[in-house]
Amino acid sequence: MRRHARTLIAVTAAALLASCGTAAPGGPGGPTITVDNCGAPAEFPAPAQRMFVNDGNMISMVLALGAQQQVTAVSSLQRDADVLRRHYGDAVDRLPVVAPSSPSREAVLAQRPDVVVAGWNYGYSETTRLTPDGLRGAGIAGYVLTESCRQGAGKARGIVEPWQALRTDLTNLGAITGRTEQAAQVNADVQRRLDALRAAPQPQRRPTIFLFDSASDTVFSSGNKGGPQAIIDAAGGRNALEDVRDTWTKVSWERVAASDPDAFLFVDYPPQTFAEKVAMLRSRPGIDRLRAVTEQRFLNLPYSMWTSGPLNIDAAEQVRAQLERWDLVPPSGLVPRSDDRVG
């Protein structure tokens, strides 16, 4: 209740300021709300009416909140359309898609949004000049995915543990869209299911899991600030990169070999197919002899289940079920709500 009271006070105060001549992002003189984003107060229209949302995980947040009618455009949807449709129905097909991948600054401005929801390396980039500061200079409020918040002067990302990052974004976007009750319900559902996973029987030795996104001369994976850390930990495993203080990051093939994982989990993400990734593991000397490879312990799940979003809890349930099938963790009796395995 205190959270709801603070939100109401913030909206009311901002509206009074606006009536005295303070311009709100996205539209002059309208009511605003202030939320904490990446450790600093940020002002947004209250409620947002023309959101531009990039990437499947942030689109899933909006769909989980039931705020799709407040979306004027989305981008980077195509690779996640099937899994989002499975979880959120045909509302996915009514979203106006304006770019197949991360949008340009010009593509965003052309839609005249009042709020842009994206993240660093999830659409925001100094290279493309699409940044939160640049958007605010154009009168548009830019929200940053909490998982992608930068830690300091460098490019390392992640300032809170990943389940907290998800709760923060759902709460903030609930406030920005005027859907605080729905946000509380979604957070409560995630927490109930997370509590059930944590209460499940745990193995004496947690199996080591390597999250494989893509690879070339290095391997793209995720450290202890990314969604995969939350998923693997909740499922009863140990992230092979749990010592890496970053979200999504590159490591050497030597690091993969040294981790000697019990299983590989894959991000279903183009342009490399699941079959191509498995072939890389089987063809690389030393890697081909790892127990996870020789035992063919592979699980491939869609991109939007690994990046920070409400589908993280579905991924955790499915990873737990697969670890049980492999006899790497004790039976729990938990049944995942869905089956999103690919390939």
Side-chain angles (χ1 to χ4, degrees):
M1 290 298 293
R2 285 194 295 269
R3 182 188 298 120
H4 291 246
R6 285 197 300 271
T7 299
L8 180 60
I9 291 169
V11 173
T12 303
L16 289 172
L17 285 173
S19 69
C20 295
T22 301
T32 64
I33 186 170
T34 298
V35 302
D36 184 279
N37 189 205
C38 293
E43 189 180 30
F44 296 87
Q49 297 292 346
R50 295 182 55 83
M51 293 190 296
F52 190 117
V53 187
N54 178 65
D55 233 339
N57 56 320
M58 284 165 277
I59 295 170
S60 72
M61 293 183 189
V62 171
L63 292 170
L65 295 172
Q68 57 268 20
Q69 292 186 349
Q70 294 162 254
V71 174
T72 193
V74 299
S75 52
S76 306
L77 170 65
Q78 184 175 1
R79 62 174 172 251
D80 295 304
D82 288 343
V83 65
L84 295 183
R85 193 177 295 113
R86 189 156 52 245
H87 286 265
Y88 302 109
D90 61 6
V92 174
D93 299 314
R94 294 191 292 274
L95 293 171
V97 180
V98 299
S101 58
S102 292
S104 66
R105 173 182 169 86
E106 291 71 24
V108 171
L109 294 179
Q111 299 303 315
R112 298 181 294 106
D114 54 3
V115 173
V116 172
V117 182
W120 291 111
N121 287 26
Y122 292 88
Y124 290 141
S125 169
E126 284 90 355
T127 302
T128 62
R129 299 182 299 110
L130 182 59
T131 67
D133 285 346
L135 288 171
R136 288 188 179 274
I140 301 167
Y143 186 84
V144 180
L145 178 74
T146 299
E147 185 216 51
S148 78
C149 295
R150 289 171 171 173
Q151 295 173 14
K155 294 297 179 71
R157 294 172 293 162
I159 59 174
V160 295
E161 64 91 14
W163 288 118
Q164 180 59 46
L166 174 59
R167 284 190 293 270
T168 297
D169 285 333
L170 288 170
T171 300
N172 284 348
L173 291 176
I176 291 167
T177 59
R179 296 176 180 271
T180 55
E181 290 187 7
Q182 183 66 16
Q185 291 172 10
V186 176
N187 274 326
D189 178 65
V190 170
Q191 190 61 51
R192 279 192 299 268
R193 296 161 71 185
L194 180 57
D195 290 343
L197 285 166
R198 288 172 171 169
Q202 300 298 315
Q204 290 186 346
R205 182 190 72 84
R206 288 191 159 219
T208 298
I209 309 299
F210 194 95
L211 190 282
F212 192 112
D213 178 287
S214 57
S216 54
D217 56 335
T218 58
V219 181
F220 199 56
S221 186
S222 186
N224 62 26
K225 296 296 184 183
Q229 174 70 35
I231 292 164
I232 293 168
D233 181 70
R238 185 185 73 84
N239 180 11
L241 300 187
E242 66 179 4
D243 61 317
V244 177
R245 193 170 176 269
D246 203 345
T247 56
W248 297 89
T249 187
K250 293 179 180 179
V251 296
S252 67
W253 281 102
E254 289 75 17
R255 177 66 193 263
V256 180
S259 70
D260 189 18
D262 294 279
F264 280 99
L265 305 183
F266 296 84
V267 181
D268 194 59
Y269 182 74
Q272 290 180 341
T273 66
F274 174 49
E276 289 171 337
K277 295 171 189 178
V278 170
M280 293 176 75
L281 294 175
R282 289 175 171 161
S283 64
R284 199 169 186 94
I287 301 294
D288 61 337
R289 296 193 298 273
L290 294 176
R291 52 189 164 173
V293 177
T294 59
E295 295 291 329
Q296 300 185 66
R297 293 180 185 145
F298 306 136
L299 174 64
N300 189 35
L301 292 175
Y303 167 90
S304 59
M305 300 188 76
W306 293 111
T307 48
S308 184
L311 296 183
N312 290 165
I313 193 64
D314 295 272
E317 291 174 346
Q318 293 175 48
V319 171
R320 173 74 197 208
Q322 187 61 60
L323 295 181
E324 292 182 19
R325 294 187 196 103
W326 288 327
D327 294 323
L328 294 176
V329 297
S332 66
L334 295 174
V335 179
R337 284 191 187 174
S338 62
D339 184 351
D340 297 287
R341 289 174 290 181
V342 182

